[in-house]
Amino acid sequence: MMPERPSLQLTDAVIFQKNTRREILREVNLYAYPGDLIYLVGRVGSGKSSLLKTLYGELPLLVGRGQIAGFALHTLPRKRVPYLRRQLGIVFQEASLLDDCTVYQNLEFVLRATNWRDAAAIENRIWHVLALTGMEHKAHAYPDQLSGGERQRAGIARALLNSPQIVLADEPTANLDPDTAREVMELFRGIADEGRTVIISTHNMANVRQYPGRTWLLEGGYVTELEPDALL
């Protein structure tokens, strides 16, 4: 049986601060497989967001090699970045929904922007991701009618629309109360269990312990993988 190919791999990569040549992370050698739930942990300014931005193409990979979802980051031209992002689900700390659109309309907007044309297929896909995230009953609500947890669930539904191989989440529970944060983490755990790679930057070590996965520590300009017992 052939070994499974990594969904993500960085080799001897250097991550630079946006708009500068200042190194934030060096000698980055990482890999991830389908089904992995991975946490990025470290102090503010350690490079978590910059690493995620490199993975979804906002920051170019200028040194080293990288591949994610079948795209070579080190040779990726800017015009190909939108195609890379269609293979990724990106969840931010703030859901950033369109305020004048319902949840359903927010999702429809994304599908039409990514060249979905068949009305029945669009409707079926929207209801599918709403069911996955437990948001069917809020399909016709506007963002200002949603709680913080519901907005984040809508953001996760949006990230799942194009059946991404990899989900990247930047501090997705930072503004949520503990109970809601646990609900969102259970959702991410379920997404990983479906065979997707999920990478979450977080400061919430309680969630890391409660929903075990792999943990990448960013410290002193380097990334190291922690042993599971290091979190006890």
Side-chain angles (χ1 to χ4, degrees):
M1 187 182 212
M2 292 290 291
E4 194 168 22
R5 293 187 61 184
S7 52
L8 155 68
Q9 189 162 13
L10 294 179
T11 305
D12 297 328
V14 176
I15 308 300
F16 293 95
Q17 185 179 51
K18 188 174 183 178
N19 299 325
T20 76
R21 288 285 294 185
R22 186 174 77 82
E23 293 182 5
I24 297 180
L25 299 168
R26 60 190 68 87
E27 297 178 25
V28 180
N29 292 281
L30 301 173
Y31 66 90
Y33 288 94
D36 279 346
L37 174 63
I38 297 171
Y39 299 101
L40 303 181
V41 301
R43 294 182 176 179
V44 174
S46 61
K48 299 188 297 296
S49 292
S50 294
L51 177 55
L52 289 177
K53 288 177 181 177
T54 302
L55 295 179
Y56 61 75
E58 182 170 333
L59 295 178
L61 182 60
L62 302 174
V63 178
R65 299 174 63 84
Q67 72 84 18
I68 182 169
F71 288 78
L73 291 171
H74 51 288
T75 60
L76 186 67
R78 298 305 301 173
K79 65 182 181 181
R80 294 287 295 169
V81 170
Y83 297 94
L84 163 64
R85 291 182 183 171
R86 291 181 191 178
Q87 301 302 316
L88 306 175
I90 305 171
V91 181
F92 298 102
Q93 184 172 330
E94 299 290 343
S96 300
L97 301 169
L98 300 173
D99 290 334
D100 58 347
C101 294
T102 65
V103 170
Y104 187 100
Q105 290 167 339
N106 267 275
L107 301 182
E108 183 180 26
F109 176 85
V110 172
L111 289 179
R112 293 196 179 280
T114 52
N115 297 320
W116 287 59
R117 295 292 179 262
D118 183 88
I122 289 171
E123 183 175 8
N124 288 339
R125 187 61 194 166
I126 289 173
W127 286 111
H128 178 71
V129 297
L130 288 174
L132 286 176
T133 54
M135 286 291 290
E136 307 104 302
H137 64 300
K138 293 292 184 177
H140 302 299
Y142 287 88
D144 64 0
Q145 297 172 318
L146 303 177
S147 68
E150 289 168 343
R151 283 194 294 271
Q152 197 59 285
R153 283 175 174 270
I156 296 169
R158 181 179 56 193
L160 296 176
L161 280 170
N162 283 301
S163 301
Q165 302 175 40
I166 300 172
V167 175
L168 307 174
D170 195 0
E171 297 283 356
T173 64
N175 296 328
L176 304 179
D177 64 78
D179 288 341
T180 305
R182 283 193 292 272
E183 292 176 3
V184 169
M185 286 305 306
E186 287 174 3
L187 184 53
F188 281 122
R189 175 75 267 177
I191 293 169
D193 288 343
E194 291 177 349
R196 308 178 202 272
T197 305
V198 179
I199 301 177
I200 303 171
S201 74
T202 185
H203 287 97
N204 192 326
M205 297 308 295
N207 283 341
V208 174
R209 296 184 186 96
Q210 186 170 0
Y211 302 94
R214 297 170 59 193
T215 304
W216 294 344
L217 173 65
L218 284 66
E219 187 175 57
Y222 295 92
V223 184
T224 54
E225 182 160 356
L226 298 180
E227 294 295 330
D229 58 7
L231 301 171
L232 299 178

